[in-house]
Structure formats: C-alpha cells, structure tokens
C-alpha cells in the first residue's frame, strides 16, 4: 500500500503539468478542442498531416506551443531558485530576485530597448546585466566572509543600484514609444514568446538546473547553518557560492524571456514545503510540477480573461499575495 501511494504521488506530479499544458493549448480567443490538439501534435511528431485547417495548426504550433513551453520553462527556474534562496538564507521572504537579478535584468532590457535592439538583443542585454548583478553581489560579500547576512545586504545594495539606473532609463526614454515597451516588459509577459528565444537560453538553463540538482543534498545541509554544515565536511563558502551563482544565473535567464514575474518563486516553494516537508530533494520535483501547472494556468487567465492581454506580474501578484497571507494565517511560512 505504501508503494502504491508513493508511485501514485509521482504520477500525479507528472500528470498535473501535462493536463494543464493540454488544456492551455486549446484555450484562448481561438478555441481548439482536445482531440484536434492531439491530432496536430501527433502529426507534428510523426511528420504526417493532421487534416485540420492550416490556421488552427499555425495557432497551435507557432503561437501557443512556444508560449506554453516558455511558461513551463520560466516557472521551473523561478520556483526552484526560490526554494534554493529560502533554504540557504533561512528567510521565508527570500525570492529568486534576492541577489538583485530582477533590477539588473530590468536595467539590461531597458538599455536594449533604448538602443533599439532586436528582441534577441534585448534578451541578451537582460541576461548580461542580470548575471552582472549576481556577480557584483557575490563580489561585495567576499570581504565579509560571504555569510548569509552579508549576501542579503549586498543583494539589497546591488538591487537598489540597478533600480536607480533603471529609473534613469525610464526618465530618458521616449514617453510615446520606448517607455511603454520598458514598462510592459517589466510587468512580465509571454507575449511574443518563440522557440528562438527559448533555445537561446536553453544551454545555460540546463547547465544551471543540473548543478542545483547535483547539489540538492548539500542544500539540505547548508540550510542547517554554517557551523552544522561545516561539521558534515561541507566547504560552506565554496558550495554556497556555486549554488547561489547557479540559481542567480537561472533566474536571469528566465527573466530575460518573460520579464519580472513576482510571487511565483515565493508562494510555490512554500506550498511544496507544506506538502513534502523541508527536504530539498523532495521539494525540487514538487516545485517543478506545481510551478508549471500554476504559471501555465495563470497565463491562460492573462490572455483569455479580457479582450486585451493582462501583464503576468499583475495577475501573479493578485493571486500570490492572498495565498501568502493564507500561509501566514495557517503558520506555514517557514523554510525548514
């Protein structure tokens, strides 16, 4: 019976995002029934013909599929990184943006927009300055032993610096053309998502996610505290630096394709912790499953609720803040 329950939970973790993705492929202003969705996907895989209207095929394969795959990819990055930061900093409010990634990437994107770069160019500058923010945060904390406190303070300083630079970009931007683009990007969106943007970040994405997976047991030990971790033979400074760098770069890559999406990396790790406890080896797959399901469905709301698409950051804030308040009320806001 125990084995049945265990394997049942595993299958549920796999089925939830698959069901959400299947539902989302047919949802939108142009509805596609589930049978047609499977016909088109099967024809794409086998190289045959679905026998359906070309417009339906194009909507599914060229618009919705890249968008939903991007949503799934971004959700994994944000939720896993959020779980990492909450565990290592022992702070329930820690998020994927703790090291200043969001404002760094936001400044990079704003700079790219002001320079009239292509969509891929804006993505590149966002990644570049997001990673630069992580590097600067780690560099500032070196002299003080790179403890969790100095890392948090350094992250706040770097975030404030890039926030000021971002404000400067907004001030000098053309208010009729460039400024709306900057603001729209900062609010978060999957509009304009395509396979080119996704493939551009995929190598770095897979490398950083793999590093976090390989270090998952060390994250458990580091979350106990520096002294306790050192007693287990862990090189605290080195391992923490590697893990935080991987999580920071992973977040920068996600932000570069979707803008700044709040609350996902805070709420989902807490929910995962409520379900499976503090063991990061269990939290990671749960975060991946729940994060995919959550963000894909949130994106459905953004593009279907009204005639005009709602920015993702708006909806995730409206949904995420009450959920976090509920966690506080139930005394579930914890990292261990």
């Amino acid at each position: 019976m125990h084995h049945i329950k265990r394997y049942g939970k595993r299958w549920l973790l796999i089925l939830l995002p698959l069901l959400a993705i299947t539902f989302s492929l047919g949802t939108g202003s142009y509805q596609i029934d589930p049978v047609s969705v499977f016909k088109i996907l099967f024809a794409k895989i086998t190289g045959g013909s679905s026998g359906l209207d070309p417009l339906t095929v194009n909507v599914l394969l060229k618009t919705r599929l890249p968008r939903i795959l991007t949503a799934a990819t971004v959700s994994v990055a944000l939720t896993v990184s959020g779980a990492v930061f909450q565990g290592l900093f022992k702070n329930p409010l820690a998020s994927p943006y703790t090291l200043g990634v969001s404002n760094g990437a936001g400044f990079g994107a704003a700079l790219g927009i002001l320079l009239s770069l292509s969509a891929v160019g804006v993505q590149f500058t966002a990644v570049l300055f997001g990673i630069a923010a992580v590097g600067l945060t780690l560099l500032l904390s070196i002299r003080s032993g790179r403890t969790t406190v100095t890392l948090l303070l350094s992250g706040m300083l770097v975030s404030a610096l890039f926030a000021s630079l971002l404000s400067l970009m907004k001030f000098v931007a053309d208010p009729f053309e460039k400024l709306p683009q900057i603001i729209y990007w900062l609010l978060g969106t999957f509009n304009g998502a395509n396979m080119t943007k996704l493939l551009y970040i995929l190598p770095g994405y897979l490398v950083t996610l793999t590093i976090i997976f390989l270090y998952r047991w060390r994250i458990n030990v580091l979350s106990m505290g520096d002294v306790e971790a050192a007693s287990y033979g862990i090189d605290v400074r080195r391992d923490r630096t590697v893990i935080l760098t991987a999580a920071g770069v992973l977040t920068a890559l996600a932000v570069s394709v979707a803008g700044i999406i709040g609350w996902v990396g805070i709420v989902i790790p807490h929910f995962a912790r409520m379900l499976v406890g503090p063991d990061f080896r269990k939290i990671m797959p749960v975060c991946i499953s729940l994060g995919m399901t959550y963000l894909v469905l949130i994106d459905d709301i953004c593009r279907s609720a009204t005639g005009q698409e709602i920015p993702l950051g708006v909806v995730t804030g409206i949904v995420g803040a009450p959920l976090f308040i509920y966690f506080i009320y139930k005394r579930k806001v914890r990292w261990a």
Side-chain angles (χ1 to χ4, degrees), residues 12 27 84 92 119 134 148 206 242 247 303 312 314 318:
L12 183 61
T27 302
V84 168
V134 175
T148 54
L206 292 176
V242 170
R303 58 188 173 87
L312 270 167
V314 174
I318 292 171

Side-chain angles (χ1 to χ4, degrees), residues 8-331:
K9 290 178 182 178
R10 289 179 181 177
W11 277 110
L12 183 61
L13 289 178
I14 296 170
L15 284 173
L16 275 177
L18 289 178
L19 289 173
I21 289 170
T22 304
F23 170 78
S24 300
L25 285 170
T27 302
S29 56
Y30 187 87
Q31 292 286 333
I32 305 174
D33 63 88
V35 175
S36 297
V37 169
F38 283 112
K39 280 184 178 179
I40 294 170
L41 293 177
F42 183 75
K44 178 68 175 176
I45 294 169
T46 59
S49 174
S50 64
L52 295 172
D53 178 21
L55 175 61
T56 303
V57 175
N58 285 334
V59 167
L60 183 70
L61 296 181
K62 294 185 178 180
T63 303
R64 288 193 189 158
L65 185 60
R67 180 174 183 137
I68 291 167
L69 289 177
T70 301
T73 302
V74 169
S75 68
V76 172
L78 295 180
T79 53
V80 170
S81 297
V84 168
F85 284 117
Q86 287 172 12
L88 293 191
F89 289 119
K90 298 187 285 292
N91 185 336
L93 288 175
S95 76
Y97 308 132
T98 297
L99 299 184
V101 175
S102 58
N103 286 330
F107 168 75
L111 182 62
I113 291 169
L114 283 180
L115 295 174
S116 299
L117 300 180
S118 65
V120 173
V122 172
Q123 185 182 357
F124 175 76
T125 54
V127 171
L128 183 65
F129 282 95
I131 294 174
V134 175
L136 186 56
T137 297
L138 295 173
L139 190 63
L140 287 174
S141 66
I142 286 175
R143 295 296 297 274
S144 300
R146 200 171 288 176
T147 64
T148 54
V149 174
T150 56
L151 278 165
L152 282 170
L153 291 175
S154 299
M156 291 173 61
L157 290 172
V158 170
S159 184
L161 170 63
F162 279 108
S164 299
L165 292 172
L166 179 56
S167 296
L168 179 62
M169 293 292 102
K170 292 179 184 178
F171 179 75
V172 302
D174 177 3
F176 300 104
E177 182 183 358
K178 302 296 184 182
L179 184 59
Q181 292 181 47
I182 293 172
I183 292 174
Y184 188 70
W185 189 94
L186 291 173
L187 288 173
T189 180
F190 294 128
N191 189 21
N194 56 58
M195 295 308 295
T196 300
K197 289 182 179 180
L198 195 57
L199 291 172
Y200 177 75
I201 69 165
L202 199 57
Y205 178 90
L206 292 176
V207 168
T208 51
L209 196 61
T210 301
I211 290 171
I212 293 172
F213 176 78
L214 294 175
Y215 275 78
R216 63 196 185 281
W217 72 270
R218 286 184 172 88
I219 295 172
N220 282 338
V221 179
L222 287 168
S223 66
M224 300 177 185
D226 292 0
V227 176
E228 188 78 16
S231 70
Y232 279 89
I234 296 291
D235 188 328
V236 175
R237 293 185 186 179
R238 183 198 65 195
D239 288 350
R240 185 163 55 207
T241 299
V242 170
I243 295 165
L244 291 178
T245 301
V249 172
L250 185 62
T251 302
L253 294 170
V255 171
S256 73
V257 296
I260 300 170
I261 304 173
W263 289 101
V264 177
I266 296 179
V267 171
I268 298 301
H270 279 299
F271 193 38
R273 212 171 280 113
M274 286 171 58
L275 294 176
V276 297
D279 188 347
F280 189 82
R281 293 171 298 179
K282 296 179 180 178
I283 288 175
M284 189 173 179
V286 174
C287 278
I288 290 171
S289 175
L290 296 181
M292 281 188 184
T293 305
Y294 176 76
L295 198 54
V296 166
L297 294 179
I298 288 290
D299 185 50
D300 290 343
I301 296 172
C302 290
R303 58 188 173 87
S304 306
T306 63
Q308 186 175 2
E309 185 172 321
I310 306 170
L312 270 167
V314 174
V315 179
T316 55
I318 292 171
V319 175
L323 278 175
F324 197 74
I325 292 170
Y326 172 77
F327 293 158
I328 292 174
Y329 177 74
K330 290 293 185 178
R331 298 182 180 179

